[in-house]
C-alpha cells in the first residue's frame, strides 16, 4: 500500500498496532527495539520537570536509568493506552493524543495501576514505517 | 467518502476516534464541545435511577451539576472505554456497546478507578458526522 | 468480502469486534455463546499450571467450574483487553498478543482490578468467521 492510498482508517489501525508493538518492546525490556520505534533524533519526555531525552541512545539511557529502581524489586510493568485520537497534519506528520496507565505487578501480588497520564505524540512515516518523533507525557497527579 | 462506500472497518474506526474526541472534551471540561457530540435531542442516562437528560442544554446542565462535587476537590477524571461492539442497524442508526471505567486522580495521589460500567449507545450520522442520539450507562455495583 | 480482498486494516478491526463480542458473552455468563467463539477443537489455557481445556465442551466445563466460586458471591466481571497485535501467518492462521485485566465489582463496592495478564491467541477463519483455535494466558503475578 502506498501512502497515497492510505485512508484515515488504515492509518488509525496502523497506529494502534504500532503502539502495541512499541509497548510490548518497552514492557518486555527490549530497550533497543523500543528505541528503534523512535526517529534517530526522537524526543521522549516521559517524566515531568526532567529534560527530555533526545536521540535513540539517550532514550535508551533514560529507560535503563528508570528501570534501575527495579533491580532488586522484580516487577512486570504493562503500559495501557486508550482513547486515542489520530490527526494527520498538512506537513505530513501525524499528531496523536492518548490516555495511558501503567499496570505494575509484583510476584504473588495484585496489580498497582498508576500513574494516569495523557500523552501527546508526533509520528512520522520513514521508509514506509511509522516512527515516534516526539512524545510528551503529562501526569494527572501533577496537574 | 460517501456513506454508500463506508465499510464496517471504516465505521468501527470512525467510532473509536469519535469516542476519543468526545471523551477528551468531557474530561477536559469542554462541556459545550462534549454536548455537541450529541444530537440536538440527544438523551444521556449517566446515573441510574435518575431521569435521563434530554437535549444538549439539559445534558450540559447535568454535567455541570455532576461536576459541582469537584469544586473544592481538584481532580483529573479520565473515562476509559473498551471492548467496543459496533452494529449498524437497518434504520441507519448504529448501536454500540462498550465497557467504561473512570480514572480519578487527585494532586499527588494515585488514581482511583471506579465505577465500572457498561454503556449502550445509539449513534446516527448527521451531515456526515457521527453523533450520539442516546447513551444509557449501567453501573456494575448496582446490578 | 472475500478473504483475498481482506486488508490488514479490515482484519485488525474485525479482531477487535470479535474479541468484544467474545468477552461480552463470557462476562454475560453466556457460556455456550462464548465457547462457540472457539473452534470445535479449541484450546483454552486460562489458568497457569492447569492442563488446558480442549474442545468446546471442556472449555464450557472449565468456565462453569471457575464460576462456581461466585455462586454465593454475586459479582460482575469484565475482561479488558489492550495493546493488541495481530499478525497473519503464512499458514492462514492469525496470531495475536494482547494485555488483559479483569475488573470485578461486587454490589455496592468498588471494582477490584486483577489479575494482569498477557494472552497469546491463534485465530483461524472458518466459514468466513473468526474463531479462537487456542488461547494461552500468562499471569503477571506468577512470572
Amino acid at each position: 500500500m502506498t501512502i497515497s492510498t492510505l485512508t484515515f482508517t488504515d492509518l488509525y489501525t496502523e497506529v494502534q498496532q504500532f503502539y502495541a508493538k512499541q509497548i510490548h518492546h518497552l514492557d518486555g525490556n527490549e530497550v533497543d527495539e523500543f528505541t528503534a520505534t523512535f526517529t534517530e533524533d526522537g524526543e521522549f519526555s516521559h517524566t515531568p520537570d526532567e529534560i527530555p531525552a533526545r536521540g535513540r541512545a539517550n532514550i535508551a539511557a533514560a529507560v535503563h536509568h528508570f528501570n534501575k529502581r527495579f533491580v532488586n524489586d522484580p516487577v512486570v510493568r504493562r503500559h495501557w493506552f486508550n482513547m486515542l485520537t489520530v490527526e494527520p497534519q498538512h506537513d505530513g506528520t501525524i499528531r496523536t493524543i492518548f490516555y495511558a496507565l501503567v499496570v505494575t505487578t509484583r510476584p504473588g501480588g495484585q496489580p498497582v495501576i498508576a500513574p494516569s497520564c495523557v500523552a501527546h505524540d508526533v509520528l512520522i512515516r520513514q521508509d514506509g514505517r511509522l516512527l515516534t518523533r516526539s512524545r510528551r507525557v503529562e501526569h494527572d497527579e501533577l496537574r
Side-chain angles (χ1 to χ4, degrees), chain A:
Chain A
M1 178 184 311
T2 65
I3 294 171
S4 62
T5 66
L6 196 73
T7 65
F8 173 77
T9 302
D10 289 323
L11 178 63
Y12 191 93
T13 305
E14 186 182 0
V15 171
Q16 289 181 303
Q17 170 107 330
F18 170 71
Y19 281 147
K21 289 190 178 183
Q22 182 184 60
I23 286 307
H24 292 180
H25 288 314
L26 179 62
D27 295 339
N29 293 314
E30 299 163 348
V31 177
D32 289 346
E33 290 82 351
F34 171 69
T35 58
T37 66
F38 285 76
T39 59
E40 277 291 352
D41 63 347
E43 190 169 310
F44 186 17
S45 172
H46 60 96
T47 304
D49 298 326
E50 287 193 11
I51 296 168
R54 285 199 178 84
R56 288 179 180 162
N58 289 322
I59 293 173
V63 173
H64 284 300
H65 177 76
F66 186 89
N67 286 343
K68 272 186 189 166
R69 71 191 68 186
F70 302 119
V71 164
N72 295 309
D73 177 19
V75 296
V76 179
R77 295 174 83 232
R78 307 234 176 253
H79 289 75
W80 282 54
F81 292 174
N82 199 0
M83 306 320 279
L84 168 70
T85 58
V86 174
E87 301 282 359
Q89 306 295 303
H90 291 299
D91 64 0
T93 64
I94 300 145
R95 291 186 177 267
T96 71
I97 301 175
F98 53 91
Y99 294 170
L101 285 168
V102 186
V103 179
T104 302
T105 308
R106 290 178 170 81
Q110 286 218 340
V112 174
I113 305 180
S116 170
C117 302
V118 58
H120 299 254
D121 268 18
V122 178
L123 308 179
I124 66 163
R125 186 177 299 280
Q126 214 167 67
D127 301 328
R129 295 171 51 223
L130 290 179
L131 294 171
T132 301
R133 195 173 76 185
S134 69
R135 173 166 300 168
R136 178 168 53 85
V137 181
E138 296 173 351
H139 287 235
D140 289 346
E141 80 278 11
L142 301 175
R143 287 161 67 103

